[in-house]
Amino acid sequence: MNYTLHQLQVFLKITQTKSITKAAEELHLTQPAVSIQLKNLQDQFAIPLTEVVGRQLYVTDFGKEIAQAAENILNEVYAINFKTLAFKNQLTGRLKLSVVSTAKYVMPFFLTNFLKQNEGVELVMDVTNKAKVIESIEKNEVDFSLVSILPEQLKIESVSLMKNQLYLVGNTDELFDREIYDIDVLEQLPLIYREAGSGTRFTMEQFIKGNNLHVIKKMELTSNEAVKQAVIAGLGYSIMPIIGIKNELKNNVLQIIPIKRFPILSEWNMIWLKNKNLSPVANAFLEFVKTNKEQIMREKFAWVNDYPKITGN
C-alpha cells in the first residue's frame, strides 16, 4: 500500500458529497485532479471503492469502511499538528461553522484577521441553505451558524452582526424612470424565487403575504448566484440581499427598482446552542467577533448605506 494523506482527504470528501464535482469545489481542486486522486487510491485495492449507476456516484460498503478509516487517520494527523502548535503556546483546533448561502458574502470578513492571528486554527465551513444550517446546529455538528432568520424551535444564544437589506432588482435593459413605485408593481413583474428552505425566500414570502400581494412566480432556483445570473439574463426580477450584488450594481448589469417599504430588513446573527460547552477555539472566535464587529462593519460594509432606504405606504 502506498496511498497518501492527500488521496485519503480527497476520497473522504467524495464520500461525504457523493459527487466528484462537489468534492472538487469544496477542496478547491479541478474535477480531473480529484478523479486522478480517486483512481490512484482505487488502484491500490482489488475491491471497488465506488461505483457509478447512471450518472450517480455511489460508495460501496468496502468504500465506506475505507472512508471511516481515512477519517480516523486524518483526525490523528490533525491532532498531531494541533499538539505541535500547542507546545508553542498557540491556539489550536478546529472551528466549525455552517452558514446560509448568502452569508458567504459576510462571514469571511469576520474570519480573516482571526485566522491570521491564530495560525493553528483550522476552519471547516459549510455553505448551504437555511434548513440544513439549522439541522447542523440542532445536531450539534458545528460551533456556530450564521443566519438571517432566527430558528424558533431551538434554544439558542446569538450575537447580532449587521442588517441584511433586501431590494427588488432587475437587469438594466428596462428603464424604471419613476422616483418611487408602489409595492403593487411586484404584481406586474415575473419573480424569480430561491428554493424552499432559503432564508431569502422566507423573508420575501413573508413580505408578499403581509402585503396581500398576488405575484407572478416565474421560476425557482437553488442558489443566490443562479438567481443573480437569471436576473442579469433578463429572465425575471427578484428580491435579493444587497450584500451579494455589490459588483453587479457597480458594473451596471443590475439595478435596484425603487419601491415603497424597501429595503426589506432582516438581521445577520451568529448563533449557537444554549448551554453549549464551547471549545477554546470557539470561545476565542466568539470574543473576537464581539470585540471587532463594529470595526469590521465600518471598514468592510459601510458601502451598503449608499443605497436608498425608502419609506411610505
Side-chain angles (χ1 to χ4, degrees):
M1 293 294 176
N2 193 31
Y3 46 78
T4 66
L5 291 174
H6 184 53
Q7 288 170 359
L8 295 178
Q9 182 185 36
V10 170
F11 179 63
L12 181 60
K13 184 61 66 175
I14 290 171
T15 64
Q16 292 169 342
T17 61
K18 304 294 192 299
S19 165
I20 288 177
T21 300
K22 290 180 181 178
E25 290 175 354
E26 294 192 17
L27 293 169
H28 305 291
L29 298 172
T30 64
Q31 290 184 41
V34 170
S35 296
I36 289 170
Q37 294 301 321
L38 176 60
K39 181 180 184 301
N40 289 342
L41 182 63
Q42 176 63 79
D43 287 347
Q44 299 176 69
F45 299 98
I47 305 172
L49 300 170
T50 63
E51 58 184 359
V52 177
V53 180
R55 300 179 63 181
Q56 179 63 48
L57 182 144
Y58 295 90
V59 182
T60 65
D61 289 342
F62 177 68
K64 291 175 182 177
E65 291 188 20
I66 298 301
Q68 183 60 60
E71 184 172 18
N72 293 337
I73 292 168
L74 292 169
N75 284 337
E76 289 299 321
V77 172
Y78 293 138
I80 291 171
N81 293 338
F82 294 152
K83 288 175 182 177
T84 302
L85 292 168
F87 271 99
K88 298 179 181 180
N89 294 318
Q90 294 186 28
L91 183 66
T92 63
R94 284 182 177 178
L95 177 64
K96 296 183 179 181
L97 307 175
S98 61
V99 305
V100 294
S101 58
T102 48
K104 66 177 175 281
Y105 304 110
V106 177
M107 184 53 83
F109 294 100
F110 289 86
L111 287 163
T112 301
N113 285 340
F114 177 76
L115 294 176
K116 285 180 179 178
Q117 294 168 14
N118 300 283
E119 295 182 357
V121 173
E122 178 197 359
L123 174 66
V124 179
M125 186 167 75
D126 183 31
V127 181
T128 183
N129 67 25
K130 179 174 72 78
K132 292 182 179 179
V133 166
I134 299 305
E135 180 182 355
S136 68
I137 203 161
E138 184 177 16
K139 292 181 177 179
N140 199 26
E141 296 173 341
V142 296
D143 297 307
F144 303 106
S145 294
L146 187 61
V147 296
S148 58
I149 307 294
L150 290 174
E152 297 180 355
Q153 72 274 27
L154 296 180
K155 293 181 178 180
I156 60 166
E157 297 186 60
S158 67
V159 57
S160 172
L161 299 188
M162 58 184 287
K163 294 292 183 185
N164 181 30
Q165 303 177 22
L166 294 92
Y167 287 87
L168 176 66
V169 297
N171 69 9
T172 51
D173 291 346
E174 187 171 348
L175 177 63
F176 289 85
D177 54 4
R178 288 173 56 180
E179 185 175 346
I180 300 177
Y181 288 83
D182 291 324
I183 60 172
D184 59 9
V185 72
L186 284 165
E187 298 182 322
Q188 305 167 30
L189 302 173
L191 294 181
I192 301 173
Y193 279 58
R194 282 288 305 277
E195 80 284 5
S198 158
T200 297
R201 173 166 173 164
F202 177 83
T203 302
M204 177 177 172
E205 288 184 325
Q206 289 295 102
F207 181 85
I208 290 169
K209 181 180 179 181
N211 288 280
N212 197 30
L213 297 171
H214 302 282
V215 300
I216 306 165
K217 182 180 177 182
K218 182 70 173 180
M219 66 182 69
E220 178 179 307
L221 299 173
T222 58
S223 74
N224 195 64
E225 289 300 315
V227 172
K228 186 193 303 183
Q229 294 305 317
V231 174
I232 291 172
L235 294 176
Y237 300 80
S238 194
I239 294 173
M240 303 188 69
I242 196 170
I243 200 73
I245 57 175
K246 176 183 180 181
N247 291 334
E248 289 74 18
L249 292 171
K250 182 178 179 180
N251 294 331
N252 200 37
V253 293
L254 287 180
Q255 63 174 318
I256 291 175
I257 302 165
I259 299 182
K260 292 178 181 179
R261 305 183 193 175
F262 273 68
I264 306 172
L265 297 179
S266 59
E267 193 150 9
W268 292 115
N269 284 277
M270 191 169 80
I271 65 173
W272 62 100
L273 284 177
K274 191 175 182 65
N275 299 322
K276 179 178 174 63
N277 185 20
L278 295 175
S279 68
V281 168
N283 257 319
F285 180 61
L286 179 58
E287 289 306 311
F288 175 87
V289 168
K290 289 179 177 179
T291 302
N292 295 280
K293 67 173 186 174
E294 298 296 336
Q295 180 182 350
I296 293 170
M297 287 166 57
R298 285 195 304 271
E299 292 179 355
K300 303 300 182 182
F301 299 107
W303 63 270
V304 301
N305 297 318
D306 296 338
Y307 294 90
K309 312 296 186 294
I310 303 168
T311 58
N313 297 320

